[in-house]
Amino acid sequence: MAETHTPAAQGRPPARRKTNKKILLSILGILVAIPVIAIVIILTFDWNRARPWINAKVSDAIDRPFAIRGNLDVEWERPAKTMTPEERSWRDHIPWPHLIANDVHVGNPAGLPAQDMASVRQFSFSLNPFGLLHRTIGIPLLRFDGPRVDLLRTDREHNNWTFKRNEEKSRWNLDLERVVLTEGVVHIKDAVTKSDVTALVRTLDKDKRYGVGWTLDGTYNGAKVVGGGKAGAVLSLKQQGTPYPVQAEMRSGRTRIALEGTVTRPSRLAAIDLKLELAGASMDQLYNFTGVVLPTTGPFSTSGRLTGTLGEANSRWVYDGFKGKVGSSDIGGRLEYATGSPRPKLSGNVRSKQLVFTDLAPLIGADSNAAKKERNADVVQPTGKVLPVEEFKTERWNKLDADVRYAADRIIRDTAFPISKLSTHLKMENAVLTLEPLEFAMAGGTVRSNIRLDGRGREGPKAIKAQAKVAARNIEIAKLFPKIEQMKATVGNIDGEANLTAQGNSVASLLAGSNGELKTLISKGQVSKMLLEMMGLNVANIVITKLFGDKQVQLNCMATDFAVTNGVARTRTFVVDTQEALITVAGAINLADEQMDLRIDPKTKAVRIFSLRSPLYVRGPFSNPDVSIDKGVLAMKAGGAAILAAVAAPIAALIPLINTGPGESTDCARLLAVAREKPQAPPPGKVQRR
């Protein structure tokens, strides 16, 4: 009987195939059961039991109290349901565990008042549980409902917004994609800037561009501050190329800052592109808001484009294509601000097509008291004081370096004084300010100055060490006062030099302690009461009127040379040669007391019976000097004239008598050569008052 054999190649036994299938199904069941069980545990676990542990760990990590006082729960949620369609990505449609914590509080660090730094009505975020397997905390959406933040600074060293840094590299990575903010409050109290400001944040449901709006109210540096603005509702932290829209405006007194534009990579403020408008009573008042040292000016307003990039070490800001007004003058150009060591630096080019000369007055504190009040100046000009006493803010000079060029194409003055152009190159380095050069185009010539102000003294009555070299060349008299041509004036030039050093903290104190010399040379020309009235030189007007009456006086030449010692300018040479007389001036001008004490001696050249010319004295304060005649000499000359008239009348009728005056013209070349010499300066002393 034949045996039948089934070969192994015909397949495995059915029992074994069933066993393998069961094992496979069991493995699949376990793989499905694990996440299901995890989900059930997540959903059914009482997470409030974990609050003490979470509070302790977070408090230790941030080095200040942290507490979840309300309910702690977990739900499943798709981030997409809370977002507008244009903000959604495919990830936002995936449901994730959504952690919800109610009534969360963060306290102040040790050393500050025991109160909340921040609190939130509800704090929630979605979490990718699979990322935890790779030590990644993946949070697609982080949401704050009803947050309140109280920022506090008691001095420059202590605040509650600085957290200690963990120098050890964490083994965990944070992957935060978006942050959503709803209605809340941000309160700032800063003892350094004397600020107490509250911002109210609210949602904007019907605004397609902006999702969050805010208003601001409070005080800053003792002044009322109000403002408001808008921002995008969803702050994208992962999609770095998505611009985040912002709009804001703030006012403090007359200072206004308004901006509108976008911020790219908002987590780091890496790229900023804004339209920026600035306005206020003075540019220097922006320092408290921007940290940028700017000059004292009159009322101003500018508008331009602000772009910036913030790096880990350095940041760069460019205010480009800005235009505006300073006082009645226009202004425009490009400025760049770059942070760095040892100080940030401001550089750029600024130009005015038309500069009103009086708009320069606030730079040196020479504006009126009414204007000072408008810009909240600390010091007003005392009554009767001519030289500006307002102090320069040298304590700020070491906060910034600068390299800025400024030019004015046309200058307008209230009087007929033909300054036509201005240009300067301003540099600030380590609190040393230089204007090299400061140049005016004037009446066919130039006035060129090199000024150095060393402000490293920071504060005090001698905060600044100053050096000034001024040279005036080829100033044409006919162009200096165009109306002279109508009076048939001859052609002449003015040259001058000044070389001074000083210490002080204002124009008045610098001149009060100045040392050096002043010189002027004038050749040819005419002077008259009308001309001097045009110039606004009241003292000279009175002198010319007393000497010559109200008429044209031919000027051959004039030379002045003053030695300045400890703020007292004493005459070394002061001679005026006219067609009718040779006039010498002697005395001193006290720049500290603002007092003059000058004697003017005229010597008549004309052939006359007798001259009643006598010395004049110019005395008193700059604000109201007195020009008087030496009455004793005048009386003697008057008496002599009367006797001479009685005794010599018959002879005088026949033969004119020659009396007083050299009769010949002065050699102008010799006179000017004497002025160019440098005789020994007189010893220092105060102006002698008579």
Side-chain angles (χ1 to χ4, degrees), residues 630-661:
D630 190 324
K631 296 179 180 179
V633 174
L634 181 62
M636 292 176 61
K637 287 192 174 184
I643 295 173
L644 182 62
V647 174
I651 303 175
L654 301 174
I655 305 175
L657 297 178
I658 299 175
N659 185 38
T660 74

Side-chain angles (χ1 to χ4, degrees), residues 389-610:
V389 302
E390 185 176 350
E391 297 179 1
F392 297 106
K393 297 180 175 66
T394 51
E395 69 277 5
R396 297 180 180 177
W397 287 13
N398 67 328
K399 307 295 184 183
L400 180 78
D401 287 345
D403 187 343
V404 178
R405 295 180 183 272
Y406 174 75
D409 297 334
R410 180 169 177 256
I411 296 179
I412 298 176
R413 284 181 55 92
D414 294 336
T415 58
F417 200 57
I419 298 176
S420 55
K421 292 183 179 181
L422 179 153
S423 64
T424 188
H425 186 188
L426 181 150
K427 288 186 177 181
M428 174 88 80
E429 186 172 357
N430 191 24
V432 178
L433 174 65
T434 59
L435 297 171
E436 294 182 350
L438 172 60
E439 186 168 294
F440 294 90
M442 180 188 297
T446 59
V447 178
R448 185 182 180 93
S449 306
N450 288 331
I451 299 173
R452 186 177 189 271
L453 303 176
D454 187 343
R456 287 176 290 184
R458 298 290 185 270
E459 298 182 45
K462 294 186 177 182
I464 300 174
K465 294 181 179 179
Q467 295 177 330
K469 294 183 179 181
V470 184
R473 293 289 182 267
N474 301 317
I475 309 299
E476 299 178 29
I477 297 177
K479 292 182 179 180
L480 186 63
F481 306 106
K483 292 184 180 181
I484 295 179
E485 293 181 353
Q486 300 175 6
M487 298 183 288
K488 299 180 181 181
T490 57
V491 177
N493 291 334
I494 300 175
D495 293 319
E497 289 184 358
N499 192 346
L500 297 172
T501 61
Q503 281 188 265
N505 59 3
S506 66
V507 171
S509 61
L510 285 169
L511 290 176
S514 59
N515 294 276
E517 61 182 8
L518 302 167
K519 291 186 175 185
T520 59
L521 303 173
I522 301 178
S523 61
K524 303 298 182 181
Q526 289 186 0
V527 293
S528 69
K529 179 180 179 181
M530 182 183 297
L531 169 63
L532 297 173
E533 285 180 347
M534 289 167 49
M535 296 171 62
L537 301 178
N538 296 328
V539 174
N541 183 11
I542 297 172
V543 170
I544 292 296
T545 302
K546 287 184 178 293
L547 290 177
F548 303 104
D550 186 11
K551 67 177 183 178
Q552 288 288 104
V553 179
Q554 182 68 43
L555 176 67
N556 296 324
C557 54
M558 184 180 82
T560 67
D561 184 359
F562 285 88
V564 183
T565 305
N566 296 331
V568 178
R570 297 179 180 276
T571 57
R572 295 189 294 202
T573 301
F574 196 145
V575 182
V576 181
D577 182 25
T578 73
Q579 190 175 24
E580 295 188 2
L582 179 67
I583 303 170
T584 60
V585 182
I589 300 174
N590 192 319
L591 300 174
D593 295 341
E594 296 192 3
Q595 295 281 333
M596 293 188 292
D597 191 353
L598 300 173
R599 175 188 169 109
I600 302 173
D601 288 298
K603 296 181 180 179
T604 303
K605 295 179 180 179
V607 178
R608 298 179 183 177
I609 296 294
F610 196 80

Side-chain angles (χ1 to χ4, degrees), residues 5 36 39 42 161 176 197 211 244 260 404 419 544-545 602 623 679 684:
H5 299 281
V36 172
I39 292 172
I42 291 173
W161 58 76
L176 178 60
V197 180
Y244 183 66
E260 182 176 9
V404 178
I419 298 176
I544 292 296
T545 302
S623 59

